[in-house]
Amino acid sequence: MSETIEEQFRIDLLDILSKLVGLEPDKIKNADRLREDLGLDSLQSMELLSRISDKYELDLEVEDVMNVVTVDDVIKQLAELLRSGKPG
Amino acid sequence: MKILFIYPSFERHAQSHPELKSFVPCNEYIGPPSLGIASVAACTPPEMEVAFQDDRIHPVKENNLPEADLYALSFFTPAATRAIEIGQMLRQTGRPVIMGGIFPTMMPDEVAPHCDAVVIGEGEPVWPQICQDVPRGNLKPRYQADAPADLAALPPPLVNLYLQAENDSFSPDDYPLQLSRGCPFACTSCVVPSVMGRKIRHFPLETVWATLTEFSKAGKICSLTEDTSFMFVSGARRRFRTFLKKLIESGPEINARLSYIGTSMPLLINVDEAILVEARNAGIGRFYLVCGFDPITQEAFGQGDRNATLKAEECIKRCHEFGIEPYISILVGNDGDDEGIFDRVLEFTQKTKIQIAEFAVATPYPGTPSWKRLLYQDRIIDRTWERYNDANVVFRPAQMSPERLQEGYLTLWREFYQDKQHLKDAEKNKRTVQF
């Protein structure tokens, strides 16, 4: 179950990321850092979170995502929030 | 018991600088009162009578003081000078005077000598208690709620108070609509987190819709000034999209209309284009683009940074592509702004073919991080609150003299509108500017 959630997150996240940074989804790795490797500035990171939380109807707070650094962090953190009943 | 809510007047740009009227070929926008009074008034116990006086239209006069059992003034910083004056007049009646709103929340000690009670923070949670305490002669000097207001428990604002106060000389086309309160960010010039807290709280869609419907019935357009609507935080974007969808689907019987959304370039440049399409389809024809608060416009205009300038141009292009007119409001005088800012702003507006704009002087409003910093640096040079209206220099700028900043602000108004005298003949909403 959790793998399914995370896999779907990954597909959707890569789709959004690729549009934001102009890279093909298959060029983006789980370990890529949003800022240093993918070049997202803080507002693009916010847009990424906005789009994914909008799609999954998550009510995120800033503190929920403060420690997110890599693509994998985003996937794990959001999947965890979804499992813990965080959706709005 | 009769309660009279008073919205004290404040100087607009053209009142601070009458010469603007000769430069700017537009109507002055005399906006509606903020929603604060209507929202607090709605929490009044039903057995009490409420009335409203907009001091901008019907000034409170010492020789003809309005009658009431309780006076409640709500105001922001530009209106503080007049509010204090009104408070002093009204206390001659022997009836209690209460002050609340942004300025009293941030500067309670400043207003306390001129009223009987100060409300610190949101008024709605404490208003029923005040209404109980006044008839019992038990009014306390300060009221402050233990927690932020539960917006789901609030009734819709009593907007009829405002609509009934309109007359031939004052009938705003648009009124604000509030979707949420609070913001988790700490932008240097914004007072929202200090006044409303750092967590975004949303009004239920039913409350927003009831307010919108009330205004629509009166033929009014609503405006949205919260750019937090575009953010992920607390599900703000999802709720905003639900609201847009309801607007799009609403039938002609509601005739709900929105005039503009207030936002900023960094949010617009990244936002999913689906939202821009939805905003346009919901009838939003204008973005009120606040510039000078965010990194893109601070770097583009303040320092002439090439990448930032390209992003700013891209943002205006994006507005045009989606058929939503950019109305820009440019603030000058930030610490990063050198004297070249005035030429850069004019060059930008010309290149991007901006048709309508307003200009503002950076103003450190009490309660903002900017106020605290400038106070600490001993750079506040004027504490005349009526001059805190974005039209006057009240601090020492970092890279130019106060006089140069003031002159540059007037130059922007004059030169931007020099080749736009044709606006005199444009339809009303195309030639109305806040100045």
Side-chain angles (χ1 to χ4, degrees):
Chain A
M1 174 66 178
S2 62
E3 280 181 15
T4 310
I5 290 175
E6 290 186 14
E7 190 47 38
Q8 190 56 49
F9 261 140
R10 184 177 147 73
I11 293 166
D12 290 330
L13 191 71
L14 294 190
D15 179 50
I16 295 168
L17 257 176
S18 69
K19 287 175 184 150
L20 279 173
V21 300
L23 281 175
E24 288 301 316
D26 61 1
K27 303 279 185 214
I28 301 171
K29 310 293 178 224
N30 275 6
D32 281 345
R33 293 167 297 178
L34 300 177
R35 179 183 290 269
E36 293 84 351
D37 300 323
L38 299 175
L40 259 70
D41 62 27
S42 58
L43 285 152
Q44 285 175 312
S45 297
M46 194 157 84
E47 180 61 22
L48 171 73
L49 293 165
S50 296
R51 293 190 194 185
I52 196 81
S53 60
D54 188 13
K55 186 172 179 70
Y56 283 90
E57 301 195 350
L58 284 163
D59 281 2
L60 296 178
E61 299 303 335
V62 173
E63 51 270 30
D64 291 330
V65 290
M66 266 173 51
N67 298 321
V68 162
V69 176
T70 64
V71 173
D72 202 37
D73 289 342
V74 179
I75 295 167
K76 286 184 173 157
Q77 181 70 4
L78 297 197
E80 180 57 38
L81 289 169
L82 195 60
R83 277 194 295 269
S84 68
K86 183 82 180 179
Chain B
M1 186 168 92
K2 179 181 174 182
I3 302 166
L4 178 64
F5 288 94
I6 298 172
Y7 187 67
S9 69
F10 52 90
E11 272 191 12
R12 298 189 306 280
H13 290 231
Q15 288 171 310
S16 292
H17 306 287
E19 63 268 45
L20 287 179
K21 287 191 176 176
S22 61
F23 309 153
V24 184
C26 299
N27 295 346
E28 280 178 79
Y29 172 77
I30 302 176
S34 77
L35 276 180
I37 284 177
S39 189
V40 171
C43 300
T44 307
E47 66 276 15
M48 295 182 178
E49 183 191 346
V50 293
F52 171 66
Q53 182 166 342
D54 189 331
D55 178 53
R56 299 173 303 168
I57 314 306
H58 299 290
V60 175
K61 292 179 181 162
E62 191 153 24
N63 58 4
N64 186 21
L65 291 173
E67 287 184 13
D69 301 299
L70 168 65
Y71 300 101
L73 283 68
S74 175
F75 52 97
F76 64 165
T77 303
T81 304
R82 174 64 177 157
I84 287 170
E85 195 179 293
I86 294 173
Q88 288 167 343
M89 284 193 265
L90 292 175
R91 290 185 89 192
Q92 296 170 24
T93 65
R95 306 289 189 187
V97 176
I98 294 177
M99 293 184 174
I102 293 174
F103 187 82
T105 293
M106 292 296 112
M107 305 290 276
D109 295 338
E110 188 92 5
V111 301
H114 312 289
C115 61
D116 298 285
V118 183
V119 176
I120 299 169
E122 291 172 299
E124 297 89 345
V126 297
W127 187 244
Q129 184 63 51
I130 293 172
C131 290
Q132 274 187 22
D133 289 350
V134 169
R136 293 175 185 164
N138 192 27
L139 193 64
K140 295 163 189 70
R142 294 199 180 188
Y143 289 84
Q144 183 167 17
D146 297 333
D150 174 5
L151 303 188
L154 295 184
L158 204 60
V159 299
N160 255 336
L161 269 187
Y162 297 164
L163 296 171
Q164 287 163 2
E166 289 191 2
N167 60 23
D168 291 345
S169 67
F170 179 70
S171 179
D173 292 333
D174 63 0
Y175 277 85
L177 192 64
Q178 204 172 28
L179 301 182
S180 67
R181 291 183 185 172
C183 180
F185 299 103
C187 301
T188 55
S189 303
C190 184
V191 79
V192 168
S194 300
V195 175
M196 298 181 178
R198 300 197 66 168
K199 180 166 169 58
I200 298 183
R201 290 164 289 139
H202 300 275
F203 281 97
L205 184 55
E206 296 72 28
T207 307
V208 175
W209 202 253
T211 312
L212 178 68
T213 307
E214 200 67 22
F215 281 129
S216 299
K217 274 190 221 158
K220 302 297 177 185
I221 311 174
C222 287
S223 55
L224 296 167
T225 53
E226 302 147 22
D227 66 353
T228 44
S229 301
F230 290 104
M231 297 176 183
F232 70 89
V233 186
S234 306
R237 175 176 292 194
R238 183 164 51 78
R239 288 174 167 83
F240 180 52
R241 293 187 79 173
T242 305
F243 171 68
L244 289 179
K245 191 173 172 210
K246 191 167 169 67
L247 263 177
I248 293 166
E249 290 170 354
S250 69
E253 69 280 5
I254 300 289
N255 194 26
R257 290 180 301 152
L258 289 184
S259 50
Y260 67 84
I261 301 180
T263 185
S264 59
M265 287 197 185
L267 287 172
L268 266 195
I269 201 163
N270 290 309
V271 77
D272 190 343
E273 65 179 46
I275 295 176
L276 298 177
V277 171
E278 286 162 5
R280 187 188 57 207
N281 291 345
I284 292 160
R286 181 178 274 182
F287 283 126
Y288 181 73
L289 264 181
V290 181
C291 306
F293 292 92
D294 63 272
I296 293 180
T297 54
Q298 282 185 347
E299 288 165 22
F301 304 148
Q303 295 135 51
D305 180 270
R306 174 138 181 83
N307 281 339
T309 305
L310 290 173
K311 280 186 187 173
E313 288 171 7
E314 177 63 28
C315 183
I316 299 298
K317 192 173 154 205
R318 206 166 191 224
C319 294
H320 287 142
E321 275 172 9
F322 284 87
I324 302 181
E325 183 192 31
Y327 172 115
I328 62 169
S329 174
I330 301 184
L331 171 137
V332 292
N334 290 305
D335 279 3
D337 297 350
D338 62 26
E339 291 192 32
I341 188 169
F342 309 112
D343 288 341
R344 287 192 289 269
V345 164
L346 289 167
E347 193 180 324
F348 176 81
T349 55
Q350 198 159 33
K351 185 170 181 190
T352 52
K353 299 186 169 53
I354 297 283
Q355 285 305 303
I356 197 157
E358 64 186 41
F359 304 97
V361 176
T363 304
Y365 289 102
T368 61
S370 168
W371 164 260
K372 289 172 194 159
R373 182 174 52 81
L374 292 172
L375 204 57
Y376 179 74
Q377 295 171 345
D378 197 23
R379 290 169 58 197
I380 303 285
I381 55 174
D382 192 339
R383 288 177 68 125
T384 314
W385 305 119
E386 67 186 350
R387 289 174 52 79
Y388 283 63
N389 65 346
D390 294 346
N392 298 293
V393 183
V394 296
F395 70 104
R396 270 197 306 280
Q399 298 196 53
M400 63 187 98
S401 68
E403 294 75 19
R404 177 69 187 101
L405 176 55
Q406 191 71 74
E407 177 199 317
Y409 152 87
L410 291 169
T411 300
L412 286 172
W413 279 107
R414 186 174 55 242
E415 297 203 3
F416 176 81
Y417 282 103
Q418 203 163 36
D419 63 353
K420 296 182 179 63
Q421 297 302 311
H422 58 274
L423 285 170
K424 278 179 186 154
D425 305 319
E427 58 186 274
K428 190 180 170 195
N429 74 328
K430 297 279 183 197
R431 62 175 156 80
T432 302
V433 180
Q434 186 168 254
F435 75 105

